[in-house]
Amino acid sequence: MNVRIWKSRDLLLLNTKMVFQLFLRFVHNLSNVAVVFRSVIHRIPVLKKYIENSRQTKAIFGKQESLPCIAPLLTTVEETPQVIFAQVRGHFPKWLNGSLLRIGPGKFEFGKDKYNHWFDGMALLHQFRMEKGTVTYKSKFLQSDTYKANSVHNRIVISEFGTLALPDPCRNVFERFMSKFELPAITDNTNVNYVRYKGDYYVSTETNFMNKVDIETLEKTEKVDWSKFIAVNGATAHPHYDPDGTAYNMGNSYGPHEKVDLGDTIQGVQVICSIASTESLKPSYYHSFGMTKNYIIFIEQPVKMNLRKIVTSKIRGKAFSDGISWEPQYNTRFHVVDKHTGQLLPGMYYSKPFVTFHQINAFEDQDCVVIDLCCQDNGRNLGVYQLQNLRKAGKELDQVYDSVARSFPRRFVLPLHVSLNAPEGENLNPLSYSSASAVKQADGKIWCSYENLHPENLEEEGGIEFPQINYGQFSGKKYHFFYGCGFRHLVGDSLIKVDVVNKTLMVWREDGFYPSEPVFVPVPGTSEEDGGVLLSVVITPNQNKSNFLLVLDAKNFDELGRAEVPVKMPYGFHGTFITM
């Protein structure tokens, strides 16, 4: 398998081979004994005309004795297609005009069929619209082909990450048996994130499908299949963007493909580079990647996709997720690619095994790439997020939480041009401000050890995930702050600001409420890194209290206001703010 990186002037897509697509395409090509896997990096050009009563707690820590049940946050809700006005308490800045768009799973069963995994739920789109201090809300289920097919049959007919669609019960025994050998349909339930390509907005997951949506109406307008335009089998839901709007993404390519011209395709997508997997039949799973001004960083980690298991999952009566495993006998490797030439740098950078889902930021300094990541030392978390686990209560819920690896921010420094004569056993990191090390080994490999970017008390906050920065002004540059969710529960239960220079924290928390990924919105015209606000959707399982959109001052973490809506909402994944 190869990792393929591409760009398109308005969108640079690093194509990551997604689990489902990876396997289904593989099935199509089973007649080919030798299958080559690669990850592909792409770029898509951009259209420049589109560029453009709680307490804030700063030092309150302490482990809870028991975890409250959060089952209501992970159950099916009704959509709210008609706009409703939120009740604003405090105030929303008058300059804050636009929409916070979020997405995540919102329906977990059809008829008697129930999904097994949190990631499987049908995509629910949310829109909080802010204008001159007022806030409105609406939500709609994505009318994907998967959603419509399941609705028509009143059962799950298309498999998801953790749920295998069972044969039609109306078929006879022989037909049900033979259906195990039919190629499964690939889901277009794109429930992970909003992405922007060529000025248009799409909702994406990790298959080869995206769904273009109208950000005003939340209606699906087009279904897009990446594989029709470029030789990839999926793409990450976390592309990166240059200041001019060019988007970069990464995806996986497996099996025989027609030759791909490294120039522009009809859609303007341009392949930058392909990276061969260390093991062709056990490629690494990855959710995001790093990017600086001049380089793209792909992290090959020991969360492995066993293609043999995935290809035979339907025959064996297993979900796709059965083919993913944590294999810490492998180290983690960093691959660095020149964005402009597409050349893979010769440096072989390794570290002890870890898993990362989200990169924080990356930048260049003194001929080094510095990459900051939210890291876990155990890659088994994907299997823990079964709905039956998340919906437990009491001691059983505590046991599930205790089995989850915590995520912490770490910095790695990768020296770019290491001489053949560089001394072995010495730290090649020239940066005086970082304790990370990069040591050349006898075999020429560079062994990288991380620097912690947090104070010890982050451990008492349960670690941090869903990292966000002032992306528009500081992506790919030296920076000071990032924001995320603390995890003293299986979902985020606090908002945290991390100062990566001084290694200090600010924390916002309200007991019984669970905030989503914070989205940073800068004050117009400011150059201050934390000059702006954070937006987070905060929900509660308490039926007597309202969910709300929270706005915090990003500088001091003071609450400015909240917009309450009397609507049930499930805990979601990612989102974006679009200025009006």
Side-chain angles (χ1 to χ4, degrees), residues 157-216:
V157 298
I158 297 177
S159 296
E160 299 289 342
F161 172 74
T163 304
L164 177 68
L166 299 177
D168 186 346
C170 296
R171 292 184 174 187
N172 61 41
V173 174
F174 177 74
E175 289 174 331
R176 290 201 297 272
F177 173 76
M178 292 305 296
S179 71
K180 291 179 177 289
F181 302 93
E182 297 173 355
L183 289 176
I186 299 173
T187 182
D188 64 340
N189 176 38
T190 51
N191 65 2
V192 175
N193 201 8
Y194 278 86
V195 296
R196 187 184 75 246
Y197 296 131
K198 291 183 173 291
D200 295 318
Y201 285 87
Y202 300 79
V203 286
S204 177
T205 180
E206 296 181 336
T207 68
N208 58 309
F209 293 119
M210 297 189 301
N211 286 294
K212 185 177 177 181
V213 294
D214 183 318
I215 59 174
E216 296 297 329

Side-chain angles (χ1 to χ4, degrees), residues 392-535:
K392 287 181 177 179
K395 291 183 179 180
E396 288 187 340
L397 179 60
D398 292 342
Q399 290 172 354
V400 173
Y401 178 74
D402 289 342
S403 72
V404 173
R406 309 295 185 261
S407 178
F408 294 99
R410 296 172 179 170
R411 170 166 292 174
F412 293 87
V413 176
L414 314 177
L416 294 176
H417 301 103
V418 178
S419 168
L420 293 175
N421 299 321
E424 296 176 9
E426 293 186 14
N427 185 7
L428 302 178
N429 171 18
L431 307 178
S432 60
Y433 57 82
S434 176
S435 62
S437 65
V439 178
K440 184 180 178 182
Q441 307 293 300
D443 58 4
K445 295 177 181 177
I446 309 299
W447 186 258
C448 300
S449 298
Y450 61 82
E451 171 194 2
N452 283 319
L453 292 179
H454 61 89
E456 289 184 2
N457 52 17
L458 182 60
E459 296 179 8
E460 298 184 42
E461 290 299 321
I464 191 168
E465 253 296 348
F466 296 139
Q468 292 286 307
I469 63 171
N470 181 342
Y471 190 94
Q473 296 182 47
F474 286 88
S475 176
K477 301 177 183 178
K478 258 189 178 181
Y479 71 113
H480 210 111
F481 309 108
F482 80 92
Y483 315 90
C485 290
F487 275 77
R488 297 201 308 181
H489 208 305
L490 290 166
V491 298
D493 76 326
S494 67
L495 295 173
I496 300 176
K497 177 181 182 179
V498 179
D499 181 329
V500 301
V501 175
N502 298 307
K503 297 183 180 177
T504 58
L505 305 179
M506 290 185 181
V507 180
W508 179 95
R509 171 182 289 107
E510 184 163 329
D511 288 343
F513 286 82
Y514 300 88
S516 69
E517 169 192 70
V519 174
F520 180 86
V521 185
V523 174
T526 186
S527 59
E528 288 187 289
E529 183 179 344
D530 57 354
V533 299
L534 293 176
L535 297 175

Side-chain angles (χ1 to χ4, degrees), residues 245-265:
T246 297
Y248 296 75
N249 208 341
M250 179 177 284
N252 287 324
S253 177
Y254 55 88
H257 284 286
E258 294 181 4
K259 182 178 179 180
V260 178
D261 184 358
L262 294 185
D264 287 345
T265 69

Side-chain angles (χ1 to χ4, degrees), residues 530-547:
D530 57 354
V533 299
L534 293 176
L535 297 175
S536 177
V537 178
V538 184
I539 61 177
T540 177
N542 188 331
Q543 303 302 306
N544 297 318
K545 296 184 178 180
S546 292
N547 300 318

Side-chain angles (χ1 to χ4, degrees), residues 79-86 98-104 124-131 134-141 194 213-219 535 537 549 563 565 567 569 574-578 580:
E79 63 181 4
T80 307
Q82 302 301 319
V83 171
I84 62 173
F85 281 87
S99 294
L100 175 67
L101 304 176
R102 282 190 48 78
I103 191 169
L124 181 62
L125 285 65
H126 307 263
Q127 179 202 80
F128 283 90
R129 188 178 182 91
M130 288 145 272
E131 186 172 7
T134 64
V135 182
T136 60
Y137 171 80
K138 67 179 176 182
S139 65
K140 290 185 181 179
F141 281 108
Y194 278 86
V213 294
D214 183 318
I215 59 174
E216 296 297 329
T217 66
L218 301 184
E219 296 290 346
L535 297 175
V537 178
L549 174 63
V565 288
V567 174
M569 299 179 200
H574 299 290
T576 188
F577 181 82
I578 301 174
M580 290 174 56

